Amino acid sequence: MSQDTNKATASSQAADSTQPQSEAQPADPALDSNSQPKDEEFARKAHRLAEEVFEEVVEEKEVNGRRVKHKGIYLLPNLFTTGALFSGFYAIIAGMNGDFSAAAIAIFVAMILDGLDGRVARLTGTESAFGEQYDSLADMVSFGVAPALVAFTWMLQDLGQIGWIAAFVYVAGTALRLARFNVQVGSVDKKWFIGLPSPSAAAIVAALVWVLHDFALESAFIQVVVAIVIAAVGLLMVSNVRYYSFKDIDLKNRVPFIVLLVLVLVISIIALEPGVMLLLLFLGYGFSGPVRSVVRRQTLVEKKNAKGEGSR
């Protein structure tokens, strides 16, 4: 009987040793108090990192001698600028794929959107320094890089070094034109542009590509003429020749009824042969600056001579 008792005692001890602990040890409150500050510190670091990575655009302006920060951007005008940037990028892609007519049309679409973003910003009171810089960068792509690459891919690459030098002169002229325009804002007469505007220069190149490609005019002589025209347009952008800006036209005032009829007539004529008419239109605008300068200089010389004869 004692042996049975000893066996029962041994089996119970073995069972007790193999059974898991019935209850978990209570958590130490000191550990909870230490982990809570660590979690809060981790959350603060994560929030700070997110702010650094996804920081909002901040504009700083000096108002009455104080630095004022503005967070965020205006969506509506920058949406038009983004559309112009996309059109310029699409023109590059279309030119690389050999669809030069679509590339030229995309550049004209970028012109329309570029003209709208500034007017929308002024009408809605959403002008900003960020919008100005963004617009300049988009213009560099849409009216500088895109026309030059489209023209080079289409024809200028057959001229070798002469071709890419002509394209580079145009790109450099666009960059210098935009930089000079940015530093002259507010210090020159808004009625006139100093140098050929980059959208008009891009329109000349795009229309030239459009027309010559549609008519399959790609001889060696045409290639040289295109290279000369593109380089000349690039130089006109950095010249001191003045071009009428049309900014003094008030679209909110009433105009004679004949003006609307003239606009309808012009649109109808352009619709007959868009490429040719746009080329003639912007070539005329490009020549208007030098012609006006020559006429103005000749007029000043005649007045000076007349004044000298009168003083005698």
Side-chain angles (χ1 to χ4, degrees):
M1 182 175 179
S2 59
Q3 291 179 355
D4 296 337
T5 305
N6 292 334
K7 290 181 180 180
T9 304
S11 60
S12 63
Q13 289 178 354
D16 292 339
S17 61
T18 56
Q19 287 181 354
Q21 293 181 353
S22 59
E23 297 292 338
Q25 294 294 330
D28 191 353
L31 294 177
D32 291 341
S33 61
N34 291 333
S35 61
Q36 185 175 1
K38 291 182 180 180
D39 293 341
E40 293 179 355
E41 183 179 359
F42 176 78
R44 285 196 298 269
K45 289 183 178 180
H47 182 68
R48 190 181 306 114
L49 179 62
E51 286 183 346
E52 292 177 356
V53 175
F54 303 103
E55 183 180 8
E56 293 185 357
V57 177
V58 178
E59 295 181 12
E60 293 189 6
K61 292 184 179 180
E62 187 171 347
V63 180
N64 298 328
R66 296 172 54 190
R67 302 294 297 180
V68 179
K69 292 185 178 181
H70 299 282
K71 291 187 177 182
I73 60 174
Y74 294 112
L75 180 61
L76 185 58
N78 291 305
L79 199 59
F80 284 99
T81 305
T82 303
L85 178 61
F86 174 80
S87 298
F89 179 75
Y90 177 79
I92 296 174
I93 300 300
M96 293 172 61
N97 292 330
D99 195 353
F100 298 108
S101 297
I105 294 173
I107 293 174
F108 281 104
V109 172
M111 282 186 58
I112 296 173
L113 295 175
D114 179 70
L116 289 175
D117 62 359
R119 292 190 177 275
V120 168
R122 286 188 291 271
L123 290 174
T124 58
T126 54
E127 297 174 284
S128 64
F130 174 84
E132 294 176 0
Q133 299 303 320
Y134 186 33
D135 181 67
S136 294
L137 294 174
D139 288 351
M140 185 61 208
V141 174
S142 300
F143 309 135
V145 178
L149 287 181
V150 170
F152 180 81
T153 306
W154 164 60
M155 182 176 288
L156 296 184
Q157 62 180 342
D158 296 334
L159 297 177
Q161 291 184 345
I162 296 176
W164 68 257
I165 288 174
F168 175 73
V169 169
Y170 176 86
V171 173
T174 306
L176 294 171
R177 169 73 177 83
L178 293 172
R180 185 175 66 177
F181 177 79
N182 288 341
V183 299
Q184 288 181 346
V185 172
S187 61
V188 296
D189 188 2
K190 291 184 177 181
K191 187 177 179 181
W192 303 98
F193 287 126
I194 307 300
L196 181 64
S198 57
S200 300
I204 293 175
V205 177
L208 193 64
V209 172
W210 192 356
V211 171
L212 296 182
H213 175 69
D214 285 350
F215 288 94
L217 300 176
E218 299 180 1
S219 63
F221 175 75
I222 295 295
Q223 292 174 353
V224 174
V225 171
V226 170
I228 294 174
V229 170
I230 290 177
V233 168
L235 294 176
L236 277 176
M237 283 191 284
V238 295
S239 68
N240 290 323
V241 177
R242 291 193 172 193
Y243 287 86
Y244 184 54
S245 67
F246 301 98
K247 289 185 177 181
D248 59 341
I249 299 177
D250 191 356
L251 299 178
K252 295 181 293 184
N253 288 339
R254 292 179 177 270
V255 295
F257 182 74
I258 189 65
V259 174
L260 181 60
L261 295 179
V262 171
L263 290 177
V264 171
L265 180 62
V266 170
I267 294 174
S268 301
I269 295 175
I270 293 176
L272 293 176
E273 195 64 48
V276 175
M277 298 310 301
L278 289 173
L279 178 61
L280 294 177
L281 178 64
F282 284 100
L283 275 178
Y285 182 72
F287 278 112
S288 67
V291 170
R292 178 186 173 278
S293 297
V294 171
V295 172
R296 184 171 179 271
R297 182 174 298 180
Q298 186 65 27
T299 303
L300 292 176
V301 170
E302 292 177 357
K303 287 183 178 180
K304 184 176 181 180
N305 294 335
K307 185 177 181 181
E309 293 178 358
S311 61
R312 292 177 185 176

